[in-house]
Amino acid sequence: MIILLPPSSGKTAPTSGPSLNLSSLLFGSELTSCREELIKDLHQVCSHADAAQVLKIGPNTVSDIADNLDIFEAPTTTALNLYTGVLFEAAKFNQTLKNVMLENTQKTVALPADILNSEIMIFSGLWGVVRPHDLLPNYRLSASIKLPNIGTVATYWKKQLNPLLDAALKDQIVVDCRSGEYRKMWTPSAKHPCELLQVVVQREDPRTGKRSVVSHNAKHMRGVLAGALFERRASGKLSGEVNTSQIVEIASNLPGVIDVDVSAANASGEATLTLVTSF
């Protein structure tokens, strides 16, 4: 099982740590030149007066422009500690790691930290895709941004990531908790299908029974699901050979979830896993 996550716009910038080492990131040998090209283009944008407008940065995060210019010299921290937005707060990955280490009541084949780092992929406008323990500096670049030379970030990454992820995710069951702009960076194709569950969140009105798609709460619920799946993997309650029925059962028992629907898969192997909540 592989869980795909978006990054979070909410970040906690590191104040100490080693500088960036592009070759140490996921797919370092394949993507270092692509990451260097993106950073060069980003530096060009951030050197001009209209940087905030191009990057769609508001007044509360305008300091990120300076951080973008300091990418190679700035301190780094793990992606898990850098991203602190709604989804990551709800997933509680670090808390699970601590709890499993303290309890130590269930022996697993792999260490929980290794499971986390090998079974979760985090998509990013600047880095493409990284592991939770990859070391990153603070930055600001969303996948929807259009840069002068490389064009729209998501489109650029799709060309780079398709062959890598088609191979890496073959024969895997993939739980896709990404938002729309990061889904554009990679999805399976009919030529390279995989079993992918796109997580969608809907709210059911208790008075009418009518369901509607929710946005902000969707980040929270996707985080809760990702955290629950990892907790069961880390504690040895769920094997790596997980199936859709097991995922549905776990999702059905999440707080606030009143129903779970799974659509039929398309030719690429994609299906929709809908979490229905009452709030």
Side-chain angles (χ1 to χ4, degrees):
M1 177 179 65
I2 300 292
I3 301 173
L4 306 183
L5 302 179
S8 65
S9 55
K11 301 182 184 73
T12 299
T15 56
S16 63
S19 56
L20 176 66
N21 178 0
L22 288 176
S23 64
S24 71
L25 304 183
L26 180 62
F27 300 125
S29 59
E30 297 91 346
L31 296 180
T32 289
S33 61
C34 303
R35 289 162 175 152
E36 289 173 338
E37 184 178 14
L38 263 171
I39 292 170
K40 182 178 179 180
D41 213 2
L42 183 61
H43 278 178
Q44 181 180 330
V45 168
C46 291
S47 299
H48 292 82
D50 63 347
Q53 182 179 353
V54 174
L55 299 177
K56 300 178 183 177
I57 291 177
N60 293 334
T61 54
V62 71
S63 62
D64 289 342
I65 294 174
D67 288 339
N68 283 345
L69 289 169
D70 198 31
I71 288 288
F72 287 111
E73 291 76 29
T76 63
T77 188
T78 64
L80 197 60
N81 289 331
L82 178 68
Y83 298 125
T84 51
V86 172
L87 185 150
F88 288 85
E89 183 179 8
K92 300 178 179 178
F93 295 125
N94 279 325
Q95 182 176 323
T96 294
L97 287 172
K98 291 178 182 177
N99 290 344
V100 171
M101 288 177 64
L102 286 172
E103 292 172 3
N104 198 26
T105 56
Q106 187 82 27
K107 292 184 178 180
T108 57
V109 175
L111 292 173
D114 293 335
I115 293 173
L116 179 80
N117 218 35
S118 62
E119 298 185 7
I120 292 179
M121 292 182 174
I122 305 171
F123 281 67
S124 159
L126 188 55
W127 315 114
V129 61
V130 295
R131 295 164 293 211
H133 288 157
D134 282 352
L135 296 174
L136 307 175
N138 191 44
Y139 71 97
R140 180 71 56 174
L141 181 67
S142 73
S144 61
I145 297 301
K146 186 175 183 179
L147 295 176
N149 295 314
I150 65 106
T152 302
V153 171
T155 304
Y156 174 85
W157 276 122
K158 186 175 179 65
K159 296 175 184 176
Q160 315 301 329
L161 295 179
N162 271 353
L164 296 174
L165 294 180
D166 285 347
L169 301 180
K170 181 183 179 182
D171 301 325
Q172 295 276 3
I173 183 165
V174 179
V175 181
D176 189 356
C177 295
R178 296 172 297 168
S179 50
E181 65 182 297
Y182 292 96
R183 277 184 52 78
K184 292 177 181 178
M185 291 172 60
W186 175 82
T187 52
S189 65
K191 288 185 177 180
H192 303 279
C194 72
E195 190 176 353
L196 183 144
L197 298 172
Q198 180 190 358
V199 181
V200 172
V201 182
Q202 294 183 345
R203 178 186 179 274
E204 183 174 284
D205 189 319
R207 296 170 298 175
T208 64
K210 184 178 179 180
R211 295 179 179 181
S212 57
V213 176
V214 297
S215 54
H216 182 75
N217 191 48
K219 294 181 182 179
H220 173 80
M221 291 307 302
R222 287 173 181 145
V224 171
L225 175 61
L229 291 171
F230 171 63
E231 189 279 330
R232 283 160 179 76
R233 287 286 296 121
S235 60
K237 300 173 185 175
L238 188 67
S239 76
E241 302 299 318
V242 64
N243 58 47
T244 299
S245 296
Q246 290 172 302
I247 293 171
V248 169
E249 181 181 359
I250 291 168
S252 299
N253 289 305
L254 296 178
V257 172
I258 59 175
D259 195 12
V260 177
D261 293 332
V262 181
S263 70
N266 63 17
S268 302
E270 292 183 87
T272 301
L273 175 70
T274 303
L275 310 180
V276 183
T277 73
S278 56
F279 54 85

